[in-house]
Amino acid sequence: MKYSYSIKRKKTKQIQVGDVLVGGDAPVSVQTMTNTLTYDVEATLEQINSIEKEGCDIVRVSIPDEKSSTALKKIIPNISIPLIADIHFHYKRALEAAENGAHCLRINPGNIGSVDKIKEVIEAAKQNNIPIRVGVNAGSLEKQILEKYKSPTAQALFESAKLNIQLLEDQNFDNFKISVKASNIFTSVEAYQLLSEYCDYPLHLGITEAGSYFSGSIKSSIKSSIGLGMLLYQGIGDTIRVSLSDHPTQEVKVGFEMLKSLNLRDYGVTIISCPSCARQQFDVIKTVKNVESRLSHIKKPITVSIIGCVVNGPGEATMTNIGITGGGNDTHMVYVDGEKSHRIQNEDLVEYLVKTIENKVEEIYS
């Protein structure tokens, strides 16, 4: 059960990254990027495995040198999610990554160099039947565009994207997605809006240099959370990455929470809880934290309401699979699928809720 409001997404051209569909009717996918040295195969695999457990759809790894592109031969056979090779400057790294099994190539044409080099990358993508992500970035725009606009404005990012779209289309290549990223959310949002109006290619959403876990996702959510949220709410975006200076699993968690809050993805346990006040009949904050921690292994969608008193509890419970409302004297009302089910008294709430929710998940998905 969930709130019925839904966002009408723009339908874009669909591409395929490994076995993950991007664009069209496919759900908005969540990506992250490893922060290990890619040629350290053991460390990179360990990080990707933890990302996979968090439910990440696609992972990106940096390919700054030949030993990193060579490492893909050992990494890709041992992972279960598609891998994007992120190419910085040298176009040969893209050619090597394509040959070594990458499921997609991310290039910033402003960094790659001549048109002939970009054409070689396109040809490698064609030969290996993999898409390209054109990553336009405010920090590395083409020289002529910066000279024209004097700074990396939204119009500058948009013009760079148009030039690169034309370059790929001139080579009869349309198997690509695009991003126009900047650290300023207003610049990024405007650039993405312009690009969405201009073309139907799938868009990868991101805000660069978003900050630490706390400032990036909570305190200063005007970066990824609000920047991407504004676009997603307008129906713009087919795949996202939340950039945080933290372990990439945190990016995945925040990404899914963002999509869940907009009803764009059903994933894991969604808890609706009150902020707690003097009316609460049990320690709501402690209960929520413990339940959330204990149920982090559940990836199937289920909604839960944990409300400390009867003021808002019954109303919230009607919209969740499992609900509990404080009733006084250590007696609490339990709701199942929006209906009153039974009362409990003097129970260990955390243990009771964990067991009840796990049983409900098994009932729904068995």
Side-chain angles (χ1 to χ4, degrees):
M1 300 179 69
K2 64 176 183 177
Y3 295 97
S4 60
Y5 180 81
S6 61
I7 291 170
K8 185 177 180 180
R9 293 174 55 208
K10 176 181 176 178
K11 190 168 183 178
T12 55
K13 180 184 184 301
Q14 191 169 83
I15 65 171
Q16 189 163 340
V17 180
D19 59 358
V20 174
L21 297 174
V22 177
D25 295 322
V28 179
S29 54
V30 175
Q31 314 189 13
T32 188
M33 187 172 184
T34 58
N35 53 31
T36 58
L37 295 171
T38 303
Y39 60 78
D40 185 340
V41 173
E42 184 177 348
T44 302
L45 281 174
E46 182 179 359
Q47 197 165 87
I48 294 176
N49 287 335
S50 67
I51 292 165
E52 288 180 348
K53 289 177 182 176
E54 225 30 79
C56 187
D57 297 304
I58 301 170
V59 66
R60 181 157 48 107
V61 302
S62 180
I63 307 294
D65 46 44
E66 187 174 358
K67 56 185 176 181
S68 294
S69 61
T70 300
L72 295 180
K73 294 179 181 179
K74 296 181 179 179
I75 294 170
I76 291 172
N78 291 292
I79 62 176
S80 300
I81 59 176
L83 180 145
I84 299 174
D86 189 280
I87 313 302
H88 300 267
F89 300 104
H90 207 302
Y91 78 105
K92 285 189 176 180
R93 303 291 83 83
L95 309 185
E96 294 159 0
E99 290 297 324
N100 292 339
H103 301 102
C104 178
L105 302 174
R106 184 271 183 187
I107 62 170
N108 182 339
N111 282 343
I112 289 290
S114 70
V115 172
D116 287 340
K117 291 177 180 178
I118 296 171
K119 287 179 179 179
E120 284 198 56
V121 175
I122 295 170
E123 187 58 32
K126 285 183 178 180
Q127 291 297 321
N128 290 279
N129 194 28
I130 58 174
I132 288 175
R133 175 185 143 205
V134 177
V136 176
N137 196 299
S140 51
L141 290 172
E142 293 87 342
K143 183 179 178 181
Q144 72 272 21
I145 291 179
L146 274 179
E147 288 176 349
K148 177 180 177 179
Y149 290 96
K150 310 304 179 187
S151 65
T153 63
Q155 284 287 348
L157 289 166
F158 176 49
E159 184 163 325
S160 176
K162 288 195 295 182
L163 287 174
N164 287 293
I165 289 171
Q166 189 62 56
L167 176 58
L168 270 65
E169 288 179 339
D170 286 347
Q171 301 303 309
N172 296 313
F173 188 79
D174 63 358
N175 188 16
F176 63 90
K177 52 183 174 158
I178 320 168
S179 63
V180 280
K181 296 170 70 174
S183 58
N184 182 291
I185 67 162
F186 304 108
T187 300
S188 288
V189 168
E190 184 181 351
Y192 276 113
Q193 289 169 334
L194 291 168
L195 190 55
S196 180
E197 291 176 5
Y198 174 76
C199 71
D200 292 327
Y201 291 109
L203 300 184
H204 168 99
L205 301 188
I207 307 290
T208 60
E209 301 147 13
S212 69
Y213 176 73
F214 182 73
S215 66
S217 62
I218 304 171
K219 178 184 174 185
S220 184
S221 59
I222 57 171
K223 290 289 186 179
S224 283
S225 298
I226 290 185
L228 303 191
M230 288 170 64
L231 291 165
L232 291 167
Y233 183 72
Q234 295 169 30
I236 297 171
D238 302 284
T239 183
I240 66 169
R241 183 213 173 173
V242 176
S243 296
L244 299 173
S245 299
D246 207 303
H247 194 281
T249 54
Q250 299 298 338
E251 295 187 349
V252 177
K253 290 177 181 177
V254 176
F256 274 116
E257 287 302 319
M258 188 184 304
L259 295 178
K260 283 164 61 177
S261 69
L262 293 167
N263 280 344
L264 288 170
R265 286 289 291 266
D266 289 328
Y267 182 82
V269 181
T270 298
I271 297 180
I272 299 165
S273 60
C274 63
S276 79
C277 68
R279 293 192 303 267
Q280 67 179 357
Q281 299 298 312
F282 59 89
D283 190 332
V284 173
I285 294 173
K286 182 178 178 181
T287 300
V288 169
K289 286 182 177 179
N290 288 336
V291 169
E292 197 168 48
S293 175
R294 292 275 301 276
L295 296 177
S296 62
H297 64 286
I298 293 178
K299 306 306 178 187
K300 297 290 187 182
I302 185 169
T303 54
V304 177
S305 60
I306 302 175
I307 310 295
C309 75
V310 296
V311 174
N312 295 313
E316 294 291 355
T318 62
M319 295 177 280
T320 57
N321 297 114
I322 299 292
I324 189 164
T325 298
N329 299 318
D330 290 323
T331 300
H332 313 299
M333 177 60 71
V334 177
Y335 295 75
V336 177
D337 293 331
E339 302 289 339
K340 284 184 179 180
S341 176
H342 58 278
R343 293 182 185 275
I344 59 171
Q345 188 172 27
N346 299 319
E347 293 274 0
D348 181 326
L349 281 187
V350 173
E351 291 298 330
Y352 178 83
L353 284 170
V354 167
K355 182 179 179 181
T356 301
I357 295 164
E358 287 178 334
N359 288 342
K360 187 62 176 177
V361 169
E362 185 175 352
E363 174 192 323
I364 294 171
Y365 297 102
S366 61

